[in-house]
Amino acid sequence: MSGTSADGIDVAVVQVLGRGFHARFELLGHGHFAYPQDVRQAVLRAMNSERAGVAELSRLNFLLGELYAEAIRKAQRGAGKAKLDLVGCHGQTIYHQGEAAAYLGKQIACTWQIGEGAAIAARLGVPVVSDFRPADVAAGGKGAPLVPFLDYLIFRDRRAGRIVQNIGGIANLTAIPAGAKPQDVVAFDTGPGNMVLDQLMQLLFQKPYDRDGSVARQGTILQPLLEELLRAPYFRRRPPKTSGREEFGREYVDALLRRHSRAAKADLIATATALTAQSIARALKTFVLPGGKYRDYIVSGGGSRNKTLMQMLGRETAKLGLRLRHSDDFGVPSQAKEAVAFALLAYQTWHRQPGNIPSATGAQRLAVLGKISYA
Ligand SMILES: Nc1ncnc2c1ncn2[C@@H]1O[C@H](COP(=O)(O)OP(=O)(O)O)[C@@H](O)[C@H]1O
Ligand SMILES: [Mg+2]
């Protein structure tokens, strides 16, 4: 798995037993492999549709395939040299437009992940499932989120309603009412997770992110700015909805800095941190809590290591009567969760079973996700 933060590669080595929502799995090992600095720069360039060229995209597609294969090898060694049968590779999203828009006479939604599956299959000698999202888009969905498959599998509960929140570059949640059927699951991107924050840290402090939230802790939230940011149309749109760098990337942050060039740097970081916490809280209030009773609020992803963000989120969710917990408490290490999801989705595909949850993506039907490269 490589998320929109473009921080690197997360690998989970998983033993799977059974299919569908009755599957059981054991996590044999996992690892995070940061992209080398120049690769990260190339990935971020590739995500900039004005600047990326097809030659570079094509090279990067194969390069990432090589890097994924190396990362998988290392994770496999770390997992007691577990025997590999199948690889699921999400790849790196370089463009995502979940909402259909007019294009040359047709309504087109699209999504594009790179990291060549054929290269991974050739290096590792096992089949690879990649390109999970297009099948959902082709079925009328937004191609995201796909993690609700795993969320429903592990967190559904007969008595407790649970909300599962991942905070990566983008923050997304899966709400599973008590005793829910798959079609009762509500899932959507709440907005920025670390994306705005990381970009500001890079521009203002030349750091990739606010480690442990220590800069935000020293700053003061700029309330008028926060209110202004929370007025963005994305937050008002009803789910299902997806978001990405197209909304909250470089252009968004550049515009923000142009308007508030005199603000203290730490205050901007505190405000961007509050934007993540508040946009989540408002999404819960508006789109989730009116639809059912919930008890647990379970966080995962890199943002769950930002202590200032977690404090803000803890306060907000307590006000809403939710109990904040970490996915680690449920036996799924926060960092590995999304990678585990794509291992299980690959296993579904290998058996020609669907992996999307239509109520989460907005698809008109279930779809078998991905493309298979044979070794
Ligand atoms: N110790 C930490 N303190 C604060 N933020 C962190 C820490 N570790 C990771 N992060 C944040 O998490 C991000 C990576 O999260 P991740 O879940 O991998 O997101 P994605 O799925 O978008 O790649 C980093 O870019 C950073 O913003
Ligand atoms: Mg990541």
Side-chain angles (χ1 to χ4, degrees):
M1 176 71 208
S2 301
T4 43
S5 296
D7 56 332
I9 309 164
D10 294 296
V11 185
V13 184
V14 184
Q15 167 92 53
V16 191
L17 287 167
R19 288 177 233 156
F21 295 123
H22 298 288
R24 280 175 297 136
F25 69 90
E26 188 186 347
L27 183 59
L28 303 177
H30 65 98
H32 174 75
F33 307 92
Y35 283 141
Q37 195 53 32
D38 49 351
V39 173
R40 176 157 203 261
Q41 288 317 317
V43 167
L44 291 172
R45 253 195 327 275
M47 289 170 170
N48 182 323
S49 52
E50 321 257 91
R51 266 186 290 169
V54 285
E56 187 169 21
L57 290 182
S58 180
R59 287 182 199 119
L60 190 58
N61 179 42
F62 276 79
L63 173 81
L64 289 183
E66 298 293 337
L67 297 183
Y68 290 145
E70 284 171 15
I72 293 162
R73 271 273 179 263
K74 285 186 200 144
Q76 182 193 14
R77 280 200 289 274
K81 299 212 176 76
K83 180 175 166 292
L84 286 188
D85 297 304
L86 182 67
V87 168
C89 181
H90 173 273
Q92 184 73 59
T93 296
I94 54 167
Y95 196 75
H96 183 80
Q97 182 208 316
E99 215 67 52
Y103 178 66
L104 304 180
K106 292 239 185 274
Q107 286 293 111
I108 298 292
C110 60
T111 186
W112 195 5
Q113 287 74 43
I114 60 170
E116 183 50 53
I120 306 171
R123 293 301 159 264
L124 300 179
V126 294
V128 175
V129 182
S130 56
D131 271 345
F132 290 84
R133 299 192 189 274
D136 183 79
V137 171
K142 300 185 191 311
L146 297 180
V147 174
F149 179 83
L150 177 73
D151 289 337
Y152 182 73
L153 182 73
I154 45 184
F155 294 114
R156 70 181 189 271
D157 191 277
R158 238 179 285 158
R159 280 186 295 270
R162 288 175 164 165
I163 298 160
V164 191
Q165 177 84 57
N166 190 73
I167 308 180
I170 290 294
N172 60 280
L173 67 76
T174 305
I176 312 167
K181 299 266 183 309
Q183 62 268 25
D184 303 325
V185 169
V186 175
F188 60 96
D189 291 341
T190 51
N194 308 301
M195 187 175 281
V196 174
L197 202 46
D198 285 358
Q199 186 73 44
L200 283 172
M201 282 301 297
Q202 189 64 52
L203 294 173
L204 299 175
F205 293 91
Q206 290 74 51
K207 297 256 167 63
Y209 61 91
D210 182 15
R211 183 175 286 274
D212 303 331
S214 57
V215 176
R217 193 175 318 116
Q218 292 156 31
T220 305
I221 297 169
L222 304 168
Q223 210 58 43
L225 171 58
L226 177 60
E227 290 303 326
E228 172 197 321
L229 297 177
L230 285 167
R231 279 198 289 275
Y234 183 79
F235 301 124
R236 281 200 300 271
R237 247 174 46 213
R238 299 201 71 79
K241 56 179 179 173
T242 67
S243 184
R245 262 177 212 284
E246 297 73 17
E247 277 96 9
F248 297 107
R250 183 68 198 245
E251 290 83 12
Y252 177 89
V253 171
D254 285 348
L256 192 166
L257 284 178
R258 271 199 302 278
R259 290 195 311 273
H260 300 275
S261 53
R262 285 204 228 119
K265 290 182 193 176
D267 293 354
L268 289 171
I269 300 299
T271 307
T273 308
L275 174 65
T276 297
Q278 285 292 337
S279 57
I280 290 173
R282 291 187 184 197
L284 289 171
K285 257 184 276 189
T286 317
F287 301 124
V288 180
L289 298 180
K293 271 183 71 180
Y294 292 92
R295 185 185 75 189
D296 300 315
Y297 179 76
I298 305 164
V299 289
S300 65
S304 66
R305 293 158 77 172
N306 181 324
K307 293 192 185 117
T308 309
L309 175 59
M310 282 303 107
Q311 265 164 17
M312 292 178 182
L313 210 44
R315 274 198 298 275
E316 292 304 319
T317 50
K319 280 191 234 163
L320 300 171
L322 297 167
R323 190 165 72 171
L324 186 115
R325 312 206 34 202
H326 286 260
S327 79
D328 305 63
D329 305 338
F330 295 81
V332 190
S334 166
Q335 178 103 68
K337 201 186 105 183
E338 299 225 313
V340 170
F342 284 93
L344 284 154
L345 287 171
Y347 193 75
Q348 284 291 101
T349 301
W350 186 249
H351 292 99
R352 288 210 194 191
Q353 297 295 309
N356 62 338
I357 294 189
S359 62
T361 63
Q364 266 131 36
R365 55 174 173 81
L366 290 166
V368 179
L369 306 175
K371 297 162 191 165
I372 300 179
S373 303
Y374 290 93

